[in-house]
Amino acid sequence: MDSNSKLFKAWIEDRISGLPDAIVVHILSFLETRYAVQTCLLSHRWNNVWTYVPNLEVHVNSLKCGVDQHVRESGLVDRVLLFRNLSNIHKFHLACLGIEDYFYRIDAWICTAIRRNVVELELDLWTTPSNSYTGLLKLPRSIFICKTLVVLKLVLTDHVIAIPPDSSCFPSLKYLDVQLCHPVAAKSLAKLFSCRYSALEELIIHGNIGRLRGDEVLNLNISAPRLKRLQIRFCAVPEDDPYATDGGYEYKIFVNANAPNLEEFNVKYLLASYTLNSVKSLSKVELKLKGLHAGENLYFADRIHKLFAEIVNVKCLSVLASIVGDPDIAYQYPMPTFNNLNQLELRLQTCCSWQSLPIFLNASPNLEYLVLENNINCRAHGADIDDADDGDVDDSDDYDSHISDNYDEDDLVHEWSPPRVVPICLLSCLKTIYLRGFRGRSDEIEVAGYLLKHGKVLNKVTIHTSNFCEESVMELWQTFSRLPRGSKTCEIEWILPKL
C-alpha cells in the first residue's frame, strides 16, 4: 500500500476529527486539561480546539518534580488560563499538592477563573505531607462576592481557610461541599458559616475536624433561608485516638441551622448539639450514629433525644443508633411522638438488638411502612470501624459483612420483650414491613411473629434472608406458615440468597 492510500485510510478512520467543533469540545471537557491541551499536536485541525473547552481541571504536584518542574507545571497553568479564548469558564477544578511551592500562583489562578465568570469551582489544596510549612492560604475575597458561582467544593485544613469578608456573600451559590481535614481551626470554620447564604439549597460538611484544643468550642451557625438538603458527615476525633473512647470532641460542637425550608437532613457520626430553627417541611431524615452504643455516656443520650425533638415533624426517618434502646436511657429520656412519620427504617446493632423497636413503634402512631434491619455489628463486639477515614463511605449492602468474626454469636444477648400494650400503628395503619438481613434466630422469629399477629391491616411482609442453605429455607418457610396473622390479606414475600 502506497503512502497516499495510508493517509486516505487514516483520514477515513479519524472520525472524531470530522465531528462538529461543539461535539469535540464537549468530549475534551471530560479530560484533565493537560491532556486536552496535548491534542493540539494531533493535526492542524486540533490546534486551538482546547481553548474553547469550558471545563478546566488542572493538577500540580510538588512531590513528583524538582524546582525546574515546579516552574514548568505552574507555567502550564498560567498559559492555559492566558491562551484560552475569552469565553467564560464553566467549571474550574484546581488540585494542588504542595501549596507552599505554588502559594502566590494559586490566588492568581482562582481570581482568573472568577473573572471568567466561573459557575463551578472545586479546590483541593494541600500542603506536602510531613512538611513543616507554617504559612496560611486565605482564599481570595473574590470567591465570596462572585455573582456567577453556583457550585463550590473545597477542602479546609489548618493551612487553608475560607473567611468571608462580611455577612453578605455568595449571592448565587446553591451547592456547597466542605471537606474537613484535621486539624482544622474551629474559629475559621465557624467564620465560613457566619454569613447569610441567601441562595444555598444544599450543604455538605464532611471529613474529620480532629482535636479541639483546650476550651475551644465549635459553633456552626448556618443561615440559609432556601436550604433544602443538609448533610453533616464529619467526626471530631484526634488522630492518635481513632476509637475516641471518651466520645471524641462532639460535646464541644454546636450546630444551629436557620433553614425554614429544609426538606432533608442527614447526620453521620457527629452527635453534636443540633438546633433546627423554624423547620416546617422536613420530609426525610437519616441518622447514622454507629459509634454510640447502649451503656455508654448518658450525655449523648440527652443530645440524641434533643435531636429527635428537633425533627419530630419528619415524614421519613432512618435511624442507626443503638444507644436509643438502652433501658436506662429509654426510662430517663422518653421518645417524642412522631405524628407525621409514615416511613421508618430502623437499623439495629448487636449490642442492643431489639430494645429500640417498641420505643419507635409506640412513638409513631401513623406509621405505614417499616424497614427493620438487624445484625449490624458494632465496635462493642469486635467490629472494625469501617468508615474511619473521612466519613464518606457508605455501609455495605452485603449484610454478612456486618457480622464480625471476632466474637462468638452465643455471647450476644438477643432478647425480645414485647410491649405491654400493642402499638397503635400495628392495629390501625402499618401496611408494609420489610425485614432485612434476617438470619432465622429464635428471637428474630419471635419479633416477626409478633408483628404478623398484631398487624391488623398488614398487606405485605418481605423477608430478606442471609446465610441459608436450601434445607434451612424450607424449614423457615414452614415455621412462618404456622404463625398466626392478624390480617387476612397479608402476604409474605421471601428474598432468598443466591444458592
Side-chain angles (χ1 to χ4, degrees), residues 182-202:
H182 60 81
V184 178
K187 290 183 179 180
S188 63
L189 179 59
K191 288 181 179 178
L192 174 61
F193 295 101
S194 62
C195 65
R196 187 174 185 268
Y197 292 80
S198 58
L200 192 65
E201 296 181 1
E202 183 167 358

Side-chain angles (χ1 to χ4, degrees), residues 470-490:
E470 187 173 354
E471 293 77 11
S472 298
V473 170
M474 291 300 299
E475 182 179 347
L476 193 60
W477 182 85
Q478 292 175 359
T479 299
F480 269 79
S481 65
R482 294 191 294 267
L483 294 176
R485 304 184 191 183
S487 171
K488 295 181 180 179
T489 61
C490 180

Side-chain angles (χ1 to χ4, degrees), residues 338-343 364-369 425 428-430:
F338 297 91
N339 287 313
N340 296 335
L341 188 65
N342 53 46
Q343 294 185 40
S364 311
N366 297 306
L367 190 66
E368 296 182 2
Y369 187 91
C425 62
S428 61
C429 54
L430 187 58

Side-chain angles (χ1 to χ4, degrees), residues 184-191 209 211-221 234 236 249-255 272-273 299 303:
V184 178
K187 290 183 179 180
S188 63
L189 179 59
K191 288 181 179 178
I209 193 173
R211 187 186 298 276
L212 295 177
R213 301 172 180 86
D215 59 354
E216 191 176 29
V217 174
L218 174 59
N219 288 293
L220 295 181
N221 294 306
F234 72 91
Y249 296 91
E250 297 174 353
Y251 66 94
K252 298 170 118 183
I253 301 177
F254 301 85
V255 179
S273 178
Y299 179 83
R303 281 204 165 184

Side-chain angles (χ1 to χ4, degrees), residues 25 83 96 134 150 156 178 251 290 342 417 461 472 484-485:
V25 167
F83 292 117
C96 179
T134 58
V150 175
L156 297 182
V178 180
Y251 66 94
K290 192 173 181 179
N342 53 46
S417 299
V461 174
S472 298
R485 304 184 191 183

Side-chain angles (χ1 to χ4, degrees), residues 410-473:
D410 296 333
D411 291 339
L412 299 178
V413 178
H414 302 285
E415 294 182 352
W416 162 246
S417 299
R420 295 179 180 178
V421 179
V422 178
I424 294 175
C425 62
L426 271 174
L427 299 174
S428 61
C429 54
L430 187 58
K431 299 177 181 179
T432 306
I433 297 176
Y434 191 107
L435 302 179
R436 193 161 59 194
F438 195 84
R439 305 185 73 197
R441 294 195 315 267
S442 59
D443 58 295
E444 292 178 301
I445 296 175
E446 286 181 35
V447 172
Y450 178 86
L451 297 174
L452 283 169
K453 179 179 179 180
H454 297 287
K456 299 300 182 181
V457 296
L458 274 176
N459 293 329
K460 185 176 183 180
V461 174
T462 301
I463 303 175
H464 188 163
T465 64
S466 62
N467 283 342
F468 279 101
C469 62
E470 187 173 354
E471 293 77 11
S472 298
V473 170

Side-chain angles (χ1 to χ4, degrees), residues 233-470:
R233 303 200 316 258
F234 72 91
C235 55
V237 296
E239 188 176 13
D240 55 354
D241 183 17
Y243 291 93
T245 54
D246 62 347
Y249 296 91
E250 297 174 353
Y251 66 94
K252 298 170 118 183
I253 301 177
F254 301 85
V255 179
N256 180 24
N258 184 11
N261 291 303
L262 190 66
E263 297 176 1
E264 298 181 14
F265 183 43
N266 183 306
V267 175
K268 188 173 182 180
Y269 301 115
L270 185 73
L271 186 55
S273 178
Y274 292 97
T275 302
L276 304 179
N277 296 316
S278 306
V279 175
K280 300 177 181 179
S281 54
L282 198 60
S283 60
K284 184 178 181 181
V285 173
E286 181 178 359
L287 306 177
K288 190 178 293 186
L289 304 171
K290 192 173 181 179
L292 296 179
H293 309 280
E296 291 192 351
N297 197 329
L298 290 182
Y299 179 83
F300 296 107
D302 176 62
R303 281 204 165 184
I304 197 170
H305 278 78
K306 286 182 179 178
L307 175 56
F308 284 138
E310 295 289 331
I311 62 171
V312 71
N313 293 320
V314 68
K315 298 177 182 178
C316 180
L317 176 62
S318 175
V319 179
L320 170 57
S322 67
I323 195 171
V324 177
D326 189 301
D328 295 332
I329 292 173
Y331 176 76
Q332 296 184 46
Y333 301 93
M335 183 74 70
T337 301
F338 297 91
N339 287 313
N340 296 335
L341 188 65
N342 53 46
Q343 294 185 40
L344 172 64
E345 180 186 35
L346 190 56
R347 307 181 66 194
L348 305 177
Q349 293 176 264
T350 50
C351 61
C352 200
S353 239
W354 297 111
Q355 291 90 331
S356 301
L357 178 58
I359 293 174
F360 276 100
L361 291 180
N362 282 318
S364 311
N366 297 306
L367 190 66
E368 296 182 2
Y369 187 91
L370 172 65
V371 177
L372 188 60
E373 179 181 354
N374 195 29
N375 300 311
I376 298 176
N377 197 25
C378 67
R379 188 193 68 209
H381 291 107
D384 296 329
I385 294 181
D386 53 45
D387 302 329
D389 50 356
D390 62 0
D392 292 335
V393 182
D394 291 332
D395 291 322
S396 171
D397 289 329
D398 179 5
Y399 307 109
D400 294 340
S401 67
H402 295 304
I403 308 302
S404 172
D405 295 329
N406 298 331
Y407 67 89
D408 189 341
E409 177 75 21
D410 296 333
D411 291 339
L412 299 178
V413 178
H414 302 285
E415 294 182 352
W416 162 246
S417 299
R420 295 179 180 178
V421 179
V422 178
I424 294 175
C425 62
L426 271 174
L427 299 174
S428 61
C429 54
L430 187 58
K431 299 177 181 179
T432 306
I433 297 176
Y434 191 107
L435 302 179
R436 193 161 59 194
F438 195 84
R439 305 185 73 197
R441 294 195 315 267
S442 59
D443 58 295
E444 292 178 301
I445 296 175
E446 286 181 35
V447 172
Y450 178 86
L451 297 174
L452 283 169
K453 179 179 179 180
H454 297 287
K456 299 300 182 181
V457 296
L458 274 176
N459 293 329
K460 185 176 183 180
V461 174
T462 301
I463 303 175
H464 188 163
T465 64
S466 62
N467 283 342
F468 279 101
C469 62
E470 187 173 354

